[in-house]
Amino acid sequence: MRLAHVALWTRDLDAAADFWRRLFDATIAPPYRSQRRPGFVSVFATLPGDTLRLELMAAPWLADAPAGDAVGWDHVAISLGDAAAVDALATLSASEGCLLSAPRRTGDGFYEAVIATPDGTRVEVTA
């Protein structure tokens, strides 16, 4: 088995896609517009290596939902391969104002930094 993709709701599909493109060099697929659920639109963001795909999803009913008002995944962790890559992405994220936690060694042994998507979803980047 392998994980096929992770889905993330967003209020701003363009901003979310741009975030993953800019910071992670993701390839963004053309949007899918549901005929069954009017207003639902999603795009797939494929990260380099073609092993991780994110489905970024938006819908008009999210506009009134309070931020963070959902049960589900807390964060996505993406391994960048080494500490230098974590440090580089943390520096870029800090310059863009989305670094939540600077690189550090965690109690469970990970070297990681934490950044936020435009909607505030946490992304851990690890070595």
Side-chain angles (χ1 to χ4, degrees), residues 91-102:
T91 298
L92 175 60
S93 299
S95 73
E96 297 214 3
C98 60
L99 181 66
L100 296 178
S101 177

Side-chain angles (χ1 to χ4, degrees), residues 19 29 73 86:
F19 169 85
W73 298 102
V86 171

